[in-house]
Amino acid sequence: MADRQTSGAAITFENLEKSFYKKGTGQVKALEGVNLDVPAGTITGIIGRSGAGKSTLLRMVNGLEQPTSGTVTVAGHDVGRAGAAELRRIRRDVGMIFQHFNLLSSRTVYGNVALPLEIAGLPSAEIKPRVDDLIARVGLEQLSGRYPAELSGGQKQRVGIARALATKPKVLLSDEATSALDPETTQTVLKLLADINRDLGLTILLITHEMAVVRDIASHVAVIDGGRIVEAGTTYDVFADPKHPTTRSFLSGITGITLPSFVSHRLKAERPQGHSEEVIRITFAGRHATDPMLAKLTSELGIPVNILAGAVEEIGPHPFGNLLVSVEADRGPEARAYLERHNLLTEVLGYVG
Amino acid sequence: MSANLINMLIEATLQTLYMVAISGLLGTLVGLPVGVYLAVSQRGELLSSPLVNKVLGLVVNAARSVPFIILVVAIIPFTRLIAGTSIGTTAAIVPLTIAAAPFIARLVENAIREVDSGLIEAARAMGATPFQIIRKVLIPEALPGITLGLTLAVVSLIGYSAMVGAVGGEGLGDLGIRYGYQRFMPEVMLAVVVILIVLVQLVQSLGEGLARLVDKRAPRNRGR
């Protein structure tokens, strides 16, 4: 336990396994051999596709799911082996926010934020100032008496955040908290989470399927695929030098650029007979993003490159970009091998005849 | 219609209201906790206890499958034990309550099961005990549904209360049978029917009004 304190992990997963019994298929492994430290005071993102096991992993932190084997340690407590009463105590140290907010429709904003304090058995004289404080922190003073049905999605999630902070937790779990929100609202909610992390020194563990969420607020990231953590580290390192194909595919979509319609309409998955062009997505990450690779491709291999779309942005201090290009299909493999050799990521999107 | 008849109608209405009110109240006192327990004791739920749930469900179903008129006469010894007599308006409250309780239990169970499971999960994540979840989440969130269910139960009780004449219970139904039918006084029958219609309408409107009052969810169609 002592070395865990010095390592500064707020949450530790050790050799974690979780299997479910599913009718027809029998035992299904949701998580396998998960080892991960969530450093105290950080915002750590776990990214994965739906069904990758990220939700199961998150729900083990506050004991909503029990591990089949292995341990989950939160602030020195072994969550998986805690009895019912101890588990309820641990849960007061772990706030949670949800994709669909999960607010009580029968309670006002005030009543929803007060609920965890009532549950904790706080005297009502202490509840009022605390709740007023929390509502002010998330900027909803004017809406204290409203019911959730009268609020927008972003406002509901603010109530969710205020409620999650009510018992002064050390850890905040976010279960796809921005997935039901529009991009603009997502930004304001992410900013609120970042502010809370900075002001309260709270550790935030969030799960998401959007790399943009990780890019915007997480200092650390773990990529989960098929129930295993395939890559983990600081967001900076993982983005600059992604090793696992899953990480790469998450990164390739991050700038959100798309093919112009005159190309996408003609795009075929199979290479057609005769002359055709191969459409490739090239992802530039980290240190190699600024190298003039396309010029080199033409000058060194003599392959002409047709640029269809592109965008470059910064992630932390790193430039990060996507280019959509086409090359003569016969020379596609050669061009891709060259680019991969120079640490660019490539993906064939299709062929245009 | 003679003043005497009008007095009889007023008295019968009050007797009906008395039977329905008391049996509705007692039926709720029994049916509410049983209904909540039926909902939370299902497999995988808050107080998962599939075997007890199954047994309780069978008992509730058995009580609900007996036609009311049979129930009234079948439990006469039990009624005598509870009410001291098996005849009369007060005695009729016993079978009415026994018919109402399982009906209310099922209606409450349905209303509780409609509550979004995400809310239960949120409350668990806050460190709530199962009892706190029932009291602070499930019942308040199911209240609109429970209110509508109780309205339905009271309307049914008004109908059932018409049959208690079989054991000497009085009230509107009994008056309608004895005067309107057996003595062939169609104006009494008509008056009884009209009063029953008005009562049911009042109960229904009152129930729906209350349900709207406690329902803070978004209106289902936003055509306001």
Side-chain angles (χ1 to χ4, degrees):
Chain A
M1 204 67 76
D3 58 338
R4 200 154 296 134
Q5 298 286 320
T6 50
S7 74
I11 307 166
T12 308
F13 302 98
E14 271 175 303
N15 302 321
L16 200 66
E17 310 263 338
K18 175 72 180 181
S19 38
F20 294 102
Y21 181 77
K22 205 171 165 188
K23 258 188 190 155
T25 31
Q27 291 291 107
V28 179
K29 280 202 169 168
L31 292 173
E32 262 186 284
V34 171
N35 286 292
L36 186 68
D37 278 351
V38 176
T42 63
I43 300 183
T44 296
I46 296 177
I47 186 162
R49 297 200 174 78
S50 56
K54 55 188 192 298
S55 195
T56 308
L57 187 60
L58 189 79
R59 294 156 52 86
M60 287 195 183
V61 178
N62 60 358
L64 291 176
E65 302 265 6
Q66 300 293 321
T68 307
S69 68
T71 54
V72 184
T73 316
V74 179
H77 298 279
D78 184 340
V79 181
R81 278 162 201 83
E86 196 196 349
L87 191 56
R88 285 196 289 272
R89 265 196 308 282
I90 294 173
R91 282 171 174 168
R92 278 167 208 168
D93 282 340
V94 182
M96 188 170 189
I97 56 176
F98 305 86
Q99 179 176 4
H100 297 296
F101 323 121
N102 293 351
L103 301 178
L104 269 63
S105 67
S106 58
R107 285 180 173 235
T108 60
V109 168
Y110 182 95
N112 269 287
V113 178
L115 181 62
L117 300 173
E118 292 174 22
I119 284 170
L122 221 68
S124 46
E126 286 175 45
I127 291 181
K128 174 133 178 51
R130 177 98 65 96
V131 173
D132 287 340
D133 238 34
L134 289 159
I135 291 176
R137 168 169 277 285
V138 299
L140 295 177
E141 299 96 322
Q142 308 301 317
L143 302 175
S144 179
R146 298 286 184 86
Y147 287 93
E150 304 169 276
L151 305 181
S152 70
Q155 290 166 338
K156 285 183 199 172
Q157 197 55 287
R158 285 168 180 274
V159 179
I161 291 169
R163 180 178 71 176
L165 296 177
T167 50
K168 299 184 179 166
K170 301 180 180 73
V171 171
L172 179 66
L173 306 176
S174 164
D175 184 357
E176 298 271 9
T178 57
S179 298
L181 304 176
D182 62 64
E184 228 170 282
T185 314
T186 294
Q187 285 309 313
T188 62
V189 168
L190 291 181
K191 183 170 182 311
L192 177 63
L193 289 176
D195 290 348
I196 286 165
N197 166 256
R198 195 191 53 232
D199 298 350
L200 306 179
L202 188 77
T203 307
I204 300 181
L205 179 62
L206 59 87
I207 60 170
T208 181
H209 61 271
E210 292 168 304
M211 205 51 142
V213 169
V214 172
R215 174 195 66 195
D216 291 344
I217 63 166
S219 61
H220 292 68
V221 63
V223 182
I224 188 168
D225 189 39
R228 292 173 175 279
I229 301 283
V230 295
E231 200 157 352
T234 64
T235 308
Y236 180 103
D237 288 342
V238 171
F239 274 52
D241 190 15
K243 296 196 170 61
H244 195 272
T246 305
T247 318
R248 291 175 171 216
S249 75
F250 270 117
L251 281 171
S252 68
I254 195 167
T255 53
I257 54 162
T258 52
L259 283 172
S261 61
F262 76 90
V263 179
S264 62
H265 284 154
R266 289 158 50 211
L267 198 67
K268 295 181 180 63
E270 295 294 320
R271 188 179 162 182
Q273 294 286 331
H275 177 82
S276 69
E277 296 263 310
E278 185 176 283
V279 180
I280 305 170
R281 183 202 295 275
I282 305 172
T283 303
F284 302 77
R287 296 176 268 288
H288 308 289
T290 48
D291 295 354
M293 290 313 302
L294 294 187
K296 284 188 185 170
L297 194 63
T298 309
S299 64
E300 287 179 22
L301 300 185
I303 303 175
V305 179
N306 183 16
I307 298 177
L308 302 171
V312 177
E313 56 182 84
E314 287 188 320
I315 293 168
H318 293 285
F320 187 92
N322 267 193
L323 264 185
L324 302 180
V325 303
S326 69
V327 298
E328 203 185 312
D330 287 338
R331 310 208 55 187
E334 194 188 340
R336 279 184 280 118
Y338 179 82
L339 294 170
E340 289 278 350
R341 227 171 20 249
H342 289 81
N343 289 309
L344 302 188
L345 315 175
T346 63
E347 181 192 356
V348 178
L349 299 179
Y351 299 88
V352 177
Chain B
M1 205 179 288
S2 71
N4 192 23
L5 264 180
I6 290 173
N7 277 339
M8 285 172 68
L9 280 169
I10 292 174
E11 201 185 332
T13 305
L14 291 177
Q15 285 162 337
T16 294
L17 289 177
Y18 165 68
M19 287 187 290
V20 170
I22 303 292
S23 60
L25 197 71
L26 295 175
T28 305
L29 283 179
V30 178
L32 186 72
V34 172
V36 170
Y37 187 74
L38 279 172
V40 299
S41 61
Q42 296 202 346
R43 188 183 300 280
E45 296 297 329
L46 213 51
L47 295 173
S48 176
S49 183
L51 191 68
V52 182
N53 181 281
K54 187 107 190 147
V55 172
L56 192 60
L58 282 173
V59 172
V60 166
N61 286 346
R64 291 201 54 207
S65 10
V66 182
F68 183 68
I69 190 73
I70 305 285
L71 181 79
V72 170
V73 285
I75 62 160
I76 281 177
F78 179 71
T79 304
R80 191 176 296 129
L81 190 75
I82 299 285
T85 169
S86 61
I87 296 171
T89 308
T90 300
I93 288 173
V94 176
L96 280 172
T97 301
I98 289 174
F103 185 40
I104 290 171
R106 283 295 186 205
L107 292 167
V108 169
E109 179 195 0
N110 286 344
I112 297 277
R113 285 170 67 176
E114 290 289 310
V115 175
D116 183 0
S117 61
L119 298 183
I120 300 171
E121 181 167 287
R124 285 177 64 207
M126 288 172 209
T129 62
F131 183 69
Q132 284 175 321
I133 295 176
I134 290 169
R135 200 162 57 89
K136 290 186 176 288
V137 178
L138 291 180
I139 293 179
E141 286 293 307
L143 205 54
I146 292 175
T147 309
L148 288 177
L150 289 181
T151 306
L152 188 60
V154 170
V155 168
S156 303
L157 276 177
I158 293 175
Y160 286 168
S161 74
M163 296 180 219
V164 298
V167 289
E170 293 176 282
L172 287 167
D174 177 54
L175 188 72
I177 294 287
R178 284 194 290 120
Y179 285 76
Y181 177 62
Q182 288 162 355
R183 298 191 192 178
F184 198 65
M185 296 169 76
E187 70 276 19
V188 175
M189 189 61 99
L190 183 68
V192 162
V193 170
V194 169
I195 292 172
L196 284 173
I197 290 173
V198 171
L199 275 184
V200 168
Q201 293 291 349
L202 282 178
V203 167
Q204 189 66 34
S205 308
L206 188 73
E208 282 175 14
L210 276 175
R212 257 199 305 279
L213 203 66
V214 296
D215 191 351
K216 309 298 184 186
R217 294 170 298 189
R220 227 153 280 167
N221 82 58
R222 295 185 158 275
R224 289 187 290 180

